[in-house]
Amino acid sequence: MASRRFRGELRRWRTRKGMTQRALADRVRFSRETVAAVESGRRYGSRELAVRCDEVLGTGGLLASLWPDVAREQMAADGRRGPRERATPRRHTPADDIVAMIVDNGARRGPSEVVVELDDLRTAIDRALSQGHR
């Protein structure tokens, strides 16, 4: 199973570097709960998590290289549960255009640059939301 190998490599590299789940989570800007859930198999990791962990742990891109097989495994698992339909159709928003632009740029640029763009997008969203509550 791809996810089993992914989480085994994640744990192996993390412990090899002498890092706790909390320390790794802080460095990759994910919660400790997310790192623990991925390592234990309670949830699938994301491509973004794989790329960030590769950078912090110095794996040479191992986790990101395993990611496509993990994604296929996750999609197969989701398919067994059947399609998930929304009660009401979702409106197209400006955020959809931004996400499409980031994905399109990701096809031409490396995963690290896409992660930076996603972080910038999160920061911009946080700012916009905090200004809306004033």
Side-chain angles (χ1 to χ4, degrees), residues 3 8 18 26-28 35-36 41-43 46 54 65 67-68 72 77 80 85 87 92 95 110 113 115 119-120 125:
S3 61
D26 289 345
R27 297 275 311 275
V28 298
V35 172
R42 290 189 315 270
R43 76 181 274 194
S46 66
D54 278 338
S65 73
W67 173 247
R72 279 191 286 279
R80 286 192 295 269
E85 295 183 24
H92 182 84
E113 290 88 357
V115 170
D119 286 342
D120 293 345
I125 290 169

Side-chain angles (χ1 to χ4, degrees), residues 28-39:
V28 298
R29 295 182 307 245
F30 276 83
S31 70
R32 188 209 59 83
E33 291 78 12
T34 296
V35 172
V38 170
E39 281 191 4

Side-chain angles (χ1 to χ4, degrees), residues 60-127:
L62 173 68
L63 297 172
S65 73
L66 295 173
W67 173 247
D69 291 334
V70 173
R72 279 191 286 279
E73 189 176 295
Q74 181 178 11
M75 287 173 41
D78 286 347
R80 286 192 295 269
R81 285 180 270 198
R84 297 180 184 152
E85 295 183 24
R86 297 180 69 88
T88 57
R90 194 172 73 76
R91 286 186 7 247
H92 182 84
T93 66
D96 294 324
D97 295 330
I98 294 169
V99 169
M101 178 190 68
I102 291 171
V103 169
D104 184 47
N105 285 341
R108 292 187 297 265
R109 295 169 41 193
S112 297
E113 290 88 357
V114 174
V115 170
V116 169
E117 286 189 32
L118 288 171
D119 286 342
D120 293 345
L121 177 60
R122 282 192 183 115
T123 301
I125 290 169
D126 289 343
R127 270 193 221 119

Side-chain angles (χ1 to χ4, degrees), residues 43-63:
R43 76 181 274 194
Y44 291 93
S46 66
R47 185 173 192 285
E48 184 178 356
L49 176 67
V51 169
R52 289 183 185 186
C53 287
D54 278 338
E55 290 172 355
V56 168
L57 298 172
T59 67
L62 173 68
L63 297 172

